[in-house]
Amino acid sequence: MFSFLKNHPFAVDAFFENSLVLTFAVPKAALEPLIPECLTLDTFEDKWAFLAIAMVQTKNLRPKVFPQFMGNDFFLIGYRVFVRYTNKAGKSLRGLYILKSETNKKKMEFMGNIFTHYNYTTTDITIIDRENIKEITSTKSNFKIIIDKTDPKVALPENSPFADWKEARRFAGPLPFTFTYNKKNKEVLIIEGVRQNWQPAPIKIVNYNFGFLNSLNLKDPILANAFDIQNIPYYWKSGKIEKWK
């Protein structure tokens, strides 16, 4: 397969019906080994770095030049670190570095791994949405989330480093850019996302377990915030490559 195809060669359009984002605070020294040399951590109070788990139900995902009826609906899961990259123009860009990507359909795994470097794998997803409680689980990926929908006045998670939800929204994602690094060629692939109507609503997480997060052996990651965002038109521009040093 031609490797250049993996550099997000065309714009992609989608509609996010729902995006659930849980962000975990970790002492920055614990996340530094997980990002490449071209990036720095996007920190809070020069102490905390952040890893986000985003679960997105997409609709009509397709190359932007294709008509809507040719799109597909996928559930996407991304495990990402908040980072910064200083581009050749000297501008500091906030964005995400992807550690792992999952989806609920083989078609997305196949196409995603042709046109991106995100190494998608397919997993099982079960969503149970009742009046007061929503559960999202996966046996294969060993995760479970329980969301309490009863209380509209949601408090920040216990031990969150943020003082209030306004401060917490700075780390709610999605950030404008996603970065991939080719260490051999010292090249940075930059993909810009463009969204509308991004209005994160705080949610209460009753319980959670993520097998992937556990596998990182991070010491006591703290749930720092959790947001739900709905009905967002979104597209990703084609990728741009910069030489790093």
Side-chain angles (χ1 to χ4, degrees):
M1 186 62 66
F2 299 111
S3 60
F4 71 89
L5 290 176
K6 297 177 79 67
N7 293 336
H8 211 274
F10 48 81
V12 173
D13 194 286
F15 184 80
F16 289 5
E17 290 188 327
N18 181 267
S19 178
L20 171 68
V21 183
L22 280 69
T23 301
F24 294 86
V26 181
K28 66 179 187 179
L31 288 186
E32 281 172 345
L34 301 183
I35 64 171
E37 57 190 340
C38 61
L39 303 177
T40 58
L41 293 169
D42 188 20
T43 60
F44 177 69
E45 295 181 341
D46 197 33
K47 176 182 179 182
W48 299 104
F50 298 93
L51 186 153
I53 300 174
M55 300 188 167
V56 184
Q57 179 61 61
T58 69
K59 189 174 181 61
N60 299 323
L61 191 149
R62 65 199 186 278
K64 194 169 177 57
V65 296
F66 285 11
Q68 195 176 80
F69 74 87
M70 295 184 70
N72 290 270
D73 304 342
F74 302 110
F75 194 87
L76 308 178
I77 306 170
Y79 302 82
R80 301 156 182 181
V81 178
F82 287 73
V83 295
R84 286 182 178 270
Y85 169 69
T86 302
N87 67 10
K88 293 180 75 69
K91 186 175 181 180
S92 178
L93 306 179
R94 290 187 81 205
L96 299 164
Y97 179 70
I98 294 177
L99 300 178
K100 181 179 177 65
S101 298
E102 297 179 310
T103 179
N104 63 334
K105 294 182 181 177
K106 281 289 182 185
K107 184 174 184 179
M108 181 63 212
E109 177 185 328
F110 179 74
M111 300 301 288
N113 289 338
I114 291 176
F115 296 112
T116 77
H117 293 270
Y118 299 161
N119 297 318
Y120 280 98
T121 56
T122 303
T123 192
D124 60 300
I125 301 291
T126 300
I127 301 175
I128 300 173
D129 197 354
R130 302 188 183 95
E131 183 178 358
N132 297 326
I133 290 289
K134 183 176 183 179
E135 296 182 14
I136 306 174
T137 60
S138 170
T139 302
K140 183 178 178 181
S141 298
N142 185 27
F143 70 70
K144 182 173 185 176
I145 313 165
I146 302 177
I147 303 161
D148 182 346
K149 302 193 299 183
T150 59
D151 189 357
K153 295 182 179 179
V154 180
L156 275 168
E158 188 177 359
N159 300 319
S160 171
F162 301 122
D164 51 43
W165 284 109
K166 182 180 179 181
E167 201 169 62
R169 278 190 179 87
R170 288 176 51 202
F171 293 88
L175 298 182
F177 300 95
T178 305
F179 307 107
T180 301
Y181 184 52
N182 183 323
K183 186 174 182 179
K184 179 182 177 182
N185 297 331
K186 291 192 177 297
E187 291 176 343
V188 182
L189 172 64
I190 305 166
I191 299 169
E192 183 175 358
V194 180
R195 83 271 188 177
Q196 302 173 32
N197 194 35
W198 190 259
Q199 298 178 14
I203 54 171
K204 182 179 181 180
I205 304 297
V206 178
N207 202 355
Y208 65 85
N209 176 68
F210 292 100
F212 178 71
L213 185 63
N214 298 339
S215 74
L216 297 176
N217 294 317
L218 302 171
K219 187 178 180 181
D220 300 327
I222 298 168
L223 181 62
N225 66 42
F227 289 98
D228 185 70
I229 309 103
Q230 298 185 2
N231 300 324
I232 311 128
Y234 200 100
Y235 76 94
W236 296 267
K237 297 181 179 180
S238 56
K240 294 182 178 179
I241 294 177
E242 276 196 359
K243 274 285 187 183
W244 185 70
K245 293 191 174 179

